[in-house]
Structure formats: C-alpha cells, structure tokens
Amino acid sequence: RDLLVKVELGEDAGGCAVAAQIRLPPGIYVDPYELATLQQHNLTKAVLLPDVIDVEAPEYLARDVLLLLFLEPEARCSRCFCAAVPVHARYHRPARGTQEALVALHSPEVLLCCCHGQLSAECWDPAEVDTPCSSDTTSPCQWHSTKHKPAYEESVLRVPVGLREHSSLVCALTLLTTGLCSGLILAAACKYGHFP
C-alpha cells in the first residue's frame, strides 16, 4: 500500500520546499531498504527518524516512527504538491472475536521552508524540526508549520489478524507438521546418508 499525501496551499509557494511530517504508529512502518532503493531511482524523497527500523518486530514491540516526506510540485498547479511512499503493516497479536486490527494514522503536519519569505507570516509558525530541506542535503533548514484543513483527520488501516479461538488448533497442527517433517528428514538421512 502507498501512503499518498497531497497538499494544496492557499497561495503560490514557488521556490519553497514543502514536506509532510507524519507520525507512523507501531502498527505500520516504512521499510528503510525499500525507501533507499526508491530514492536511488528518484521515485520519492523522505527521511525516517530514527533511521534504523526493525522491520521484523511485531506491532506490540515496535515504536512510533517519524517520517518526513518531501513533496514535489505538480505540473498543472503551482500551489499543489504531492508525494507517495509505500507502507507495510506489522504482525499484530491474535484477537478474540475479530479478524482484524485497526491502525489509525493521523493527518500529517504540513511544513514549509521558504528562503524568500513571500508567504503570509500569520499562516505559519516555526516548527520544532531539525532536519534538512531535502533528502539530498545534510545542513538543517528552518521549517515552518502551516495551519491547514485536512481532508481527513485520520485514516484507518484494517490489518488481518489471527483468532485466539484457533490458537490450540494452530499449535497442534504446527507440532504435528514439525514432527512429521523431522521424521521424513531423519528417514531420508538414514536411508541415503553416508556415515563413517
């Protein structure tokens, strides 16, 4: 699934860098290796904080991750910016009585970095973000948080989970399959193996 962010500013932001700061809850993550590949091919630009993420961790052992997604201007609209990044769901604990877990993703914070200062001062406040103006540079910029009206306050991702009622059946079948496969491997080793 791709997380798509579209922003339309109230006035022309030519020459400004526009980004979306998104707090990803523990139930979803961006794969840093996939992100690096996408950035090498100039398909997206983003920064993950922290930049080291355990992609194998289940939801109940993971932490929030901050994603700074740099938006690109759209060709047909000087006030419109957009970007997308793939997100992945983490494994969740089995649930009782339901086959899905809900992961809520709140609306992102829209940030601007303008060197020329053409935008109205009442529309933006300094943001507490110490990060570069783009994913290509290392020197930090002064980002400003914009007041905006989100299309959705939050988006909800439905993640399929196992049922607790099936845990004894799953354990029994797993144990039976493991024993059967181990027996087949031992039988093949005894029949075809060469032992000194």
Side-chain angles (χ1 to χ4, degrees):
R1 297 182 184 273
D2 284 347
L3 174 61
L4 176 64
V5 178
K6 288 186 175 184
V7 172
E8 184 176 348
L9 300 177
E11 49 188 292
D12 193 344
C16 295
V18 182
Q21 181 174 266
I22 308 160
R23 184 161 300 279
L24 300 177
I28 57 176
Y29 69 97
V30 172
D31 186 335
Y33 306 108
E34 182 180 24
L35 183 60
T37 302
L38 291 171
Q39 292 190 128
Q40 285 176 346
H41 294 93
N42 286 328
L43 296 175
T44 192
K45 293 181 180 178
V47 174
L48 287 171
L49 302 170
D51 56 354
V52 178
I53 296 174
D54 184 0
V55 297
E56 297 294 329
E59 176 267 338
Y60 48 88
L61 295 178
R63 298 184 349 225
D64 286 4
V65 174
L66 196 63
L67 171 68
L68 188 66
L69 185 61
F70 299 100
L71 308 180
E72 296 290 330
E74 290 187 358
R76 298 179 308 255
C77 175
S78 63
R79 302 178 312 171
C80 304
F81 296 81
C82 70
V85 66
V87 293
H88 304 276
R90 293 189 181 274
Y91 289 107
H92 287 66
R93 291 185 193 272
R96 189 174 301 281
T98 181
Q99 294 183 351
E100 60 187 20
L102 303 179
V103 179
L105 181 64
H106 296 286
S107 178
E109 181 180 4
V110 179
L111 304 176
L112 290 175
C113 180
C114 299
C115 298
H116 50 66
Q118 291 178 354
L119 298 179
S120 304
E122 68 269 9
C123 293
W124 43 326
D125 301 315
E128 296 179 11
V129 178
D130 184 24
T131 193
C133 283
S134 73
S135 59
D136 303 330
T137 61
T138 55
S139 57
C141 282
Q142 177 59 60
W143 287 97
H144 291 83
S145 179
T146 63
K147 297 173 184 171
H148 69 287
K149 181 181 177 185
Y152 306 101
E153 287 297 329
E154 69 176 20
S155 300
V156 177
L157 178 67
R158 298 176 186 274
V159 181
V161 296
L163 289 172
R164 282 186 184 246
E165 294 85 6
H166 296 163
S167 60
S168 57
L169 177 64
V170 170
C171 288
L173 287 175
T174 302
L175 187 60
L176 182 65
T177 304
T178 304
L180 180 63
C181 292
S182 299
L184 290 173
I185 292 170
L186 282 173
C190 291
K191 184 174 182 180
Y192 300 108
H194 299 289
F195 301 104

